[in-house]
Amino acid sequence: MLSNALSEHRISLDGRRRIPYVAVLAFGLALGIFFVHSFVSNRFAVGVLYVVVVVMSVSFCSRRGVLAVAAFCMALTVISFIISDGPNYSEDYIARCIVSLFAISVATVLAVRMQSVTVALRSQAELLDLTHETIFVRAMDDIITYWNRGAEELYGWPREKVIGQVSHHLMQTRFPAPRERILAELLLNGRWEGELVHINRDGAEVTVASRWSLQRDARGAPTAILETDTDITAAKQAQDTLAKAQAKLAHVTRVATLGELTASIAHEVNQPLAGIVTNGEACLRWLGRDEPQYGEVRAAVTRMISDGRRASEVIKRLRALAKNGEPQQVTLNLNDVISESLALMHREIISHRVALEVDLAPDLPVVRGDRVQLQQVIINLLVNAFQAMASVAEARRALCIVSRLLTSREVVVTIRDSGPGIAAIDEARLFTAFFSTKSDGMGMGLSICRSIIDAHGGHISASANNGPGATFQFILPMHGSEAA
C-alpha cells in the first residue's frame, strides 16, 4: 500500500542511523542461540531462533549479506549439532536439526524477497523526495503519514514534526467549499482538484493548486489520500494585481465615455428639472385663482415628484459609472441592465437619428456579475454602433438589441447595427488593446469590454453581417451554472 510503503521509507531512513546497534544485537543474539543450542539444551529445535537473526540482517545487509548471514547461521546450527550430541546422533536430534535448517532457508528466501520489495519502494520514495512538487500522504482521518522534501521546503515543517498530525489543523487550511462536500466528491470520483490556502510555519499564506488521489485496498475500502500541491501564490498575486489594473483602466474609459456623452447627460438631467419647474409654476397659478384648483395642484405635484425621482435615478446611474469602486458581484437580470443603459443613451439615440429595435426575451434567467461593468460593456458597444453609422444615410441607421437564452446554461446579448461593417482582416484584432479602426480612436474600448466579459466567465465576439453593418454579442453563464 502506498501509505505503508512511504511510511516504511521514513522508517528505513531513520533505521540507517541505528545500523551499528542492530548489527551488534543480531550478532549477540546469534552467539546466544549458539551457546544455548550447544551447551544448555538439545531437546528442542533451538536453531529455529536463527530466523530472527536472518530477519534482522535485512536492515543492515545487502542481498549477498543476508545470504551470508543465513549461511553463517546454518553453519552454527550444524556446529551446535556436532558439539551437543557428539558421535551418537539420535533420529530426533537429526530431525530437529533439519527443521532448523529448513526454517532458516525459508526465512532467508522471504527476507531476500522482502528486502527486494523494500529497496524498490525506497527508490520510489526517494524519487518523490527529488521532485519539486509538494507531496504528502494522509490517512482517512487526515493524519499525515508521509511528508516529502518539497513539502518541507514549501511549508517549513520538517518531516519528523508533522508525521502523526492532522493536516488541515496543522496548516489551517481554507477550503473553496465545505470540506464534507469535497470528501464526498473524492470518495465518488477517486480524485479532487481545486485551490487551497494553507498557512506555513512562518504564518504566511500559501495558495496552492491541490490534487487529491484516493487509495483503496483490495476490497475497495478507502485507506489513504495522496495530496500533491503546486505553489501558485505568486501567480494569484499577479492575477489580483492585473485585475486591479484592469479595473482602474475600465474606470478611466467609463469616465472618458461619460465625457463624450456630456450633451446627452445634460439633456437627461435637464429634462426632468425643466418638468419640475413647469409643474411648480402651474401649481402657483392653480393656487392663485379665486377658487384654488386643488385637484390640478395635486396632479402637478405628483408630476413633480415623478420628475424628481427620474432626475435622481439618472444622477444615481452616472455616479455609479463614475465611481472607482471594487466590482460587486450580484445576481441581476441583463434585461434590466440593457434598459438602464438605453435610458442613459436615450438622447444619443435621438441625436444620431437611429431607428432602435429592442427585443428582450421575457423571463430571462439571472446572471451573476457587476452591474456597472456590464453597463459599461453595453454603452461602449452602443457608442461604437452610433459612431459606425455616422457615415450612413439617416434613413438606413438601424440598431437592434436582442437578449436570449442561448443554451440551458448561457444568456446572450446581441447588438446589431447597419454601419459599414467589419473588414475580414480586422475581425481577429478587433478586441486587441490599442487597435482601432478609427483614426482618432485609442483602441481601448473593445479591449476593456473583452476583459470585463472574460472576468465574468463569458465570451464576446464580433462579425460582419450578411448585409450592411456588424453584429457584436456577448455570452454570460447563468447564475449557478458553474456549480452545475
Side-chain angles (χ1 to χ4, degrees):
M1 310 300 275
L2 179 59
S3 57
N4 292 338
L6 296 177
S7 298
E8 287 297 330
H9 167 60
R10 174 175 56 82
I11 293 170
S12 68
L13 290 177
D14 295 338
R16 291 174 187 173
R17 295 193 293 269
R18 299 194 296 267
I19 285 175
Y21 304 102
V22 176
V24 170
L25 181 61
F27 183 73
L29 179 61
L31 292 181
I33 295 170
F34 175 75
F35 177 79
V36 171
H37 194 187
S38 301
F39 304 107
V40 176
S41 173
N42 61 1
R43 296 180 59 188
F44 306 102
V46 180
V48 172
L49 296 178
Y50 286 117
V51 167
V52 179
V53 177
V54 173
V55 172
M56 292 176 66
S57 69
V58 172
S59 64
F60 61 87
C61 289
S62 63
R63 183 173 182 274
R64 290 184 177 180
V66 173
L67 294 176
V69 169
F72 175 69
C73 291
M74 288 181 176
L76 291 180
T77 300
V78 173
I79 293 172
S80 296
F81 168 70
I82 295 173
I83 293 175
S84 63
D85 208 38
N88 302 317
Y89 303 119
S90 65
E91 293 181 358
D92 290 343
Y93 192 72
I94 293 175
R96 288 196 294 271
C97 180
I98 293 174
V99 167
S100 299
L101 294 175
F102 179 74
I104 295 172
S105 300
V106 172
T108 302
V109 172
L110 295 177
V112 169
R113 184 176 298 176
M114 180 180 67
Q115 187 181 52
S116 299
V117 173
T118 302
V119 169
L121 293 175
R122 183 183 300 169
S123 299
Q124 294 175 4
E126 288 173 348
L127 286 176
L128 294 181
D129 264 341
L130 292 177
T131 181
H132 295 291
E133 292 287 331
T134 297
I135 301 173
F136 62 93
V137 179
R138 61 183 190 272
M140 296 309 296
D141 56 0
D142 288 326
I143 298 295
I144 298 173
T145 59
Y146 174 74
W147 188 261
N148 82 331
R149 190 171 302 161
E152 290 182 341
E153 294 174 355
L154 179 60
Y155 298 120
W157 287 287
R159 178 184 286 115
E160 58 272 13
K161 294 289 186 181
V162 301
I163 300 299
Q165 296 203 44
V166 177
S167 59
H168 60 272
H169 290 166
L170 174 69
M171 296 181 283
Q172 303 175 45
T173 306
R174 293 207 303 268
F175 298 95
R179 182 169 163 270
E180 293 75 15
R181 187 191 305 171
I182 294 176
L183 289 177
E185 181 179 341
L186 177 67
L187 292 172
L188 178 64
N189 301 322
R191 63 184 182 278
W192 177 84
E193 294 185 9
E195 289 185 8
L196 302 176
V197 178
H198 294 309
I199 305 298
N200 66 13
R201 190 178 187 180
D202 297 329
E205 288 190 356
V206 180
T207 305
V208 297
S210 187
R211 297 172 297 280
W212 298 3
S213 298
L214 185 66
Q215 180 191 16
R216 298 181 183 273
D217 60 20
R219 296 175 297 176
T223 57
I225 301 170
L226 172 68
E227 179 171 333
T228 304
D229 294 340
T230 302
D231 185 8
I232 58 171
T233 305
K236 291 290 290 184
Q237 291 173 346
Q239 184 179 353
D240 292 342
T241 302
L242 177 60
K244 291 178 181 178
Q246 289 177 335
K248 290 181 180 179
L249 184 57
H251 172 251
V252 171
T253 58
R254 284 201 302 273
V255 174
T257 302
L258 291 177
E260 296 176 5
L261 302 176
T262 301
S264 296
I265 293 170
H267 175 79
E268 291 299 322
V269 176
N270 284 332
Q271 192 175 36
L273 293 179
I276 292 172
V277 172
T278 301
N279 285 299
E281 293 173 345
C283 279
L284 292 177
R285 288 196 300 271
W286 291 115
L287 290 172
R289 292 192 173 188
D290 294 337
E291 291 187 11
Q293 301 293 314
Y294 294 112
E296 296 295 341
V297 172
R298 186 179 294 106
V301 172
T302 301
R303 290 193 295 270
M304 290 170 65
I305 294 173
S306 177
D307 286 335
R309 287 175 176 170
R310 177 182 169 190
S312 176
E313 284 298 318
V314 172
I315 294 172
K316 180 180 178 182
R317 295 191 193 108
L318 292 175
R319 289 185 62 186
L321 285 171
K323 185 179 179 181
N324 185 18
E326 292 292 328
Q328 300 293 325
Q329 294 283 331
V330 297
T331 56
L332 47 86
N333 191 308
L334 281 177
N335 286 346
D336 296 337
V337 179
I338 294 171
S339 299
E340 293 168 0
S341 302
L342 290 175
L344 287 174
M345 300 294 292
H346 177 70
R347 181 65 181 174
E348 204 72 17
I349 295 170
I350 295 175
S351 64
H352 283 85
R353 304 183 188 281
V354 173
L356 178 64
E357 179 185 349
V358 181
D359 183 10
L360 305 182
D363 301 325
L364 195 68
V366 297
V367 300
R368 186 168 180 82
D370 182 86
R371 182 181 296 272
V372 172
Q373 288 189 343
L374 294 178
Q375 281 183 356
Q376 179 178 358
V377 170
I378 294 172
I379 290 174
N380 279 352
L381 295 180
L382 291 175
V383 170
N384 280 353
F386 296 151
Q387 293 173 348
M389 292 187 291
S391 60
V392 177
E394 291 182 7
R396 294 172 49 199
R397 296 176 187 173
L399 184 67
C400 181
I401 303 179
V402 180
S403 68
R404 288 287 184 271
L405 177 62
L406 183 63
T407 67
S408 61
R409 295 188 178 185
E410 294 176 322
V411 176
V412 60
V413 174
T414 303
I415 299 177
R416 185 168 56 251
D417 64 57
S418 59
I422 305 171
I425 193 174
D426 293 335
E427 282 192 19
R429 300 182 295 168
L430 206 56
F431 294 95
T432 304
F434 306 113
F435 173 78
S436 177
T437 58
K438 297 174 288 188
S439 59
D440 59 345
M442 294 181 59
M444 293 305 299
L446 292 179
S447 175
I448 292 296
C449 289
R450 184 184 64 177
S451 298
I452 291 173
I453 297 301
D454 287 349
H456 284 72
H459 174 71
I460 189 170
S461 62
S463 60
N465 297 338
N466 292 331
T471 297
F472 288 79
Q473 73 172 18
F474 61 88
I475 300 170
L476 294 177
M478 290 167 45
H479 175 51
S481 63
E482 300 90 340

